[in-house]
């Protein structure tokens, strides 16, 4: 991405982190500004999410993105750090301890045309279809996916080190799956949100 691309992303983040809920008109104006400033090519998703967002109840505004792809240009990192400190933005870093499984997810996303959640939903919606005991993997493409995962970790770690003074909470994907309630409680506390109803005791992600 070019410096201009990263500058556009900074402008979008600045809009995202400065919502105005003082009136219905101000709220709608902020939503329209956010849509116009979008550089991620997912306006329908953003519009749908905003439609479900209540002006009276909304307390946190954020996005999910790969740090290594969102803002990694050297000139944009200081601007991102200053923006996050000035707006009070906080960062949740979700990573996996098991890099092999992450590489498999990357492999599916890049070469099988679907992510792990789409694949899981496919099998869940068709219970009569048995889950395969083994999967054919193109080794060269898997090595490429594994290198991409390692590069992403290096770049995101380097970016986090440059974001001095920004509040960051590190979460392991395995902990999120294994103890969803405790992990989501930690997230809510980090974001200073109420914990009630975030994750019922019986909830467990599979």
């Amino acid at each position: 991405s070019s410096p201009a691309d990263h500058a556009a992303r900074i402008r979008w983040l600045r809009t995202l982190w400065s919502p105005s809920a003082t009136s219905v008109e101000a709220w709608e104006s902020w939503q329209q500004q956010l849509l116009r400033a979008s550089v991620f090519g997912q306006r329908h998703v953003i519009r749908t999410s905003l439609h479900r967002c209540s002006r009276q109840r909304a307390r946190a505004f954020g996005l999910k993105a790969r740090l290594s792809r969102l803002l990694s240009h050297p000139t944009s990192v200081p601007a991102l750090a200053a923006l996050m400190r000035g707006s009070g933005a906080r960062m949740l870093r979700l990573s996996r301890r098991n890099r092999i499984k992450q590489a498999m997810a990357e492999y599916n996303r890049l070469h099988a045309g679907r992510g792990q959640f789409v694949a899981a939903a496919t099998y869940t919606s068709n219970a009569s279809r048995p889950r395969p005991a083994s999967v054919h993997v193109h080794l060269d493409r898997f090595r490429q996916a594994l290198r991409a995962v390692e590069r992403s970790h290096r770049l995101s770690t380097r970016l986090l080190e440059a974001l001095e003074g920004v509040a960051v909470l590190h979460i392991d994907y395995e902990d999120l799956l294994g103890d969803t309630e405790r992990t989501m409680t930690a997230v809510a506390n980090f974001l200073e949100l109420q914990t009630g109803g975030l994750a019922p005791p019986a909830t467990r992600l599979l």
Side-chain angles (χ1 to χ4, degrees):
S1 299
S2 67
D5 292 332
H6 288 278
R9 294 170 186 177
I10 289 287
R11 287 195 298 270
W12 189 84
L13 290 173
R14 184 177 293 110
T15 304
L16 174 68
W17 291 330
S18 58
S20 178
T22 55
S23 67
V24 174
E25 292 76 13
W27 180 255
E28 293 178 349
S29 176
W30 170 72
Q31 291 183 330
Q32 291 303 316
Q33 291 176 26
L34 194 61
L35 284 171
R36 287 195 299 270
S38 175
V39 294
F40 299 101
Q42 299 187 34
R43 293 195 176 190
H44 174 71
V45 176
I46 296 174
R47 185 182 294 107
T48 302
S49 179
L50 289 173
H51 181 71
R52 296 196 302 262
C53 188
S54 168
R55 179 176 68 90
Q56 289 82 10
R57 299 176 57 189
R59 294 292 179 271
F61 305 86
L63 75 161
K64 173 187 174 183
R66 292 192 177 192
L67 290 179
S68 57
R69 296 181 182 179
L70 174 64
L71 284 163
S72 57
H73 196 278
T75 61
S76 66
V77 174
L80 174 62
L83 174 60
M84 294 188 70
R85 287 193 298 266
S87 61
R90 305 177 188 190
M91 181 177 294
L92 301 170
R93 186 194 187 189
L94 179 64
S95 58
R96 296 185 76 150
R97 292 192 295 267
N98 192 323
R99 302 291 177 84
I100 299 300
K101 286 188 176 181
Q102 184 175 357
M104 282 301 303
E106 180 73 3
Y107 176 90
N108 285 333
R109 188 183 70 82
L110 293 176
H111 303 290
R114 62 185 183 185
Q116 56 183 325
F117 298 111
V118 174
T122 300
Y123 286 108
T124 301
S125 62
N126 189 356
S128 62
R129 180 182 178 185
R131 183 180 291 272
S134 61
V135 178
H136 176 74
V137 175
H138 191 291
L139 288 181
D140 287 340
R141 293 177 179 176
F142 178 74
R143 292 189 187 99
Q144 178 184 351
L146 185 58
R147 287 194 296 269
V149 166
E150 293 295 342
R151 179 177 180 272
S152 177
H153 275 273
R154 288 195 303 271
L155 290 175
S156 61
T157 299
R158 188 184 309 165
L159 176 59
L160 284 171
E161 291 174 348
L163 297 180
E164 184 178 356
V166 174
V168 180
L169 177 65
H170 297 266
I171 301 173
D172 285 331
Y173 183 77
E174 290 82 357
D175 293 337
L176 177 62
L177 295 181
D179 196 342
T180 306
E181 183 180 10
R182 186 172 72 171
T183 303
M184 293 305 297
T185 298
V187 170
N189 290 335
F190 176 70
L191 298 177
E192 299 182 9
L193 300 174
Q194 294 182 355
T195 58
L198 282 179
T203 297
R204 179 183 175 86
L205 299 178
L206 300 177

